[in-house]
Amino acid sequence: MDLCGAMLRLSSPNFKTLHLVRHAQGIHNIALEEEGEKPESEKLFDAHLSPKGLQQVSERRNQILESGLLNTIELVITSPLRRAMETSIGIFRGQEDVNISDDFPKANNFPPIVALEICRERMGLYPCDRRASLSTRRTWFPEIDFTMIESDEDALWQDKEREKLEDVATRGLHFVKWLWERPENEIAIVSHGIFLQQTLRALHEKVGIPLEDSLLTRFANCELRSIRIEKSDMEADTITTCNCRNYVTPPSTSIHTLE
């Protein structure tokens, strides 16, 4: 797949483009997939990026710079988990690579980056999916706006229950509806593998948006897939009547003028 990924529909005046990015490799990915660590381990709390993950971020940023995509994105939404925020900052605030050819456009756009609870990973049981308090993160990530998160501590993560996949899909639909009501036409979302996959599957299976099978698979670390959502898609009953916990409370225009 090329940088911009597969598109859902043909171009029209009434669509919104979403650039979906899974966070780069985190230390929990290595621990769980290669070292046999148990997901319940407190050592993986709010996992940060691995050295390989940092390299993935650098490579993805260079690709986005080369494509000129960074100059068209108007807003970046990030999960408030550390690995996602590190990916967001690295891609959308990192320094340009001095080795990039002058034939490629340079970035002159720095879209606001806003943290939202609604696009975080499947919650519960696993410490790697529990976020640290915002008071400890604001100084680390001064480029990120946290004003749309009400609780300093993680009030959503539960230590005895894992969020159901259907509930992840439901908040994914709620999130897409909220994005559609935003004034921006081109938005990047930095999130997590299960959340992104369940959101795309819900759009396909519940809303009826035709999607290729390749778009419904699990995202690789730091993979980017771009989709177009049409106005007609957002008129589907499944979207407009979505009943979800209120993860996004501010009005849709509240971050339109962020700098």
Side-chain angles (χ1 to χ4, degrees), residues 195-210:
F195 177 79
L196 293 174
Q197 183 182 31
Q198 290 301 311
T199 298
L200 288 176
R201 286 184 173 180
L203 288 172
H204 178 60
E205 298 169 3
K206 297 183 179 182
V207 182
I209 298 176

Side-chain angles (χ1 to χ4, degrees), residues 107-225:
N108 54 23
N109 178 45
F110 295 96
I113 304 176
V114 179
L116 287 183
E117 297 274 36
I118 194 171
C119 63
R120 58 189 289 181
E121 184 59 300
R122 185 183 185 188
M123 292 176 284
L125 290 183
Y126 302 160
C128 62
D129 298 327
R130 180 184 181 186
R131 69 166 172 83
S133 64
L134 298 187
S135 57
T136 64
R137 290 292 185 248
R138 283 192 173 94
T139 55
W140 290 14
F141 300 100
E143 306 93 336
I144 295 178
D145 188 291
F146 294 98
T147 57
M148 298 182 77
I149 299 179
E150 295 182 348
S151 175
D152 181 60
E153 298 294 335
D154 191 343
L156 299 176
W157 186 89
Q158 303 293 323
D159 63 353
K160 293 181 173 57
E161 184 180 5
R162 187 79 167 147
E163 185 180 17
K164 296 178 180 178
L165 288 177
E166 52 264 37
D167 291 337
V168 177
T170 297
R171 65 179 165 95
L173 290 180
H174 189 68
F175 179 49
V176 172
K177 180 178 182 293
W178 182 83
L179 290 173
W180 180 259
E181 295 170 351
R182 294 286 315 149
E184 298 84 7
N185 291 320
E186 194 157 349
I187 302 173
I189 298 98
V190 181
S191 185
H192 306 265
I194 294 176
F195 177 79
L196 293 174
Q197 183 182 31
Q198 290 301 311
T199 298
L200 288 176
R201 286 184 173 180
L203 288 172
H204 178 60
E205 298 169 3
K206 297 183 179 182
V207 182
I209 298 176
L211 286 171
E212 297 179 3
D213 291 343
S214 60
L215 286 176
L216 305 178
T217 60
R218 184 69 178 271
F219 281 61
N221 285 122
C222 217
E223 180 181 358
L224 180 150
R225 301 177 190 175

Side-chain angles (χ1 to χ4, degrees), residues 23 30 65 72 83 95 98 105 141 151 185 191 195 213 254:
H23 64 81
I30 299 174
L65 282 169
T72 64
R83 57 192 182 272
Q95 297 299 313
V98 295
F141 300 100
S151 175
N185 291 320
S191 185
F195 177 79
D213 291 343
S254 63

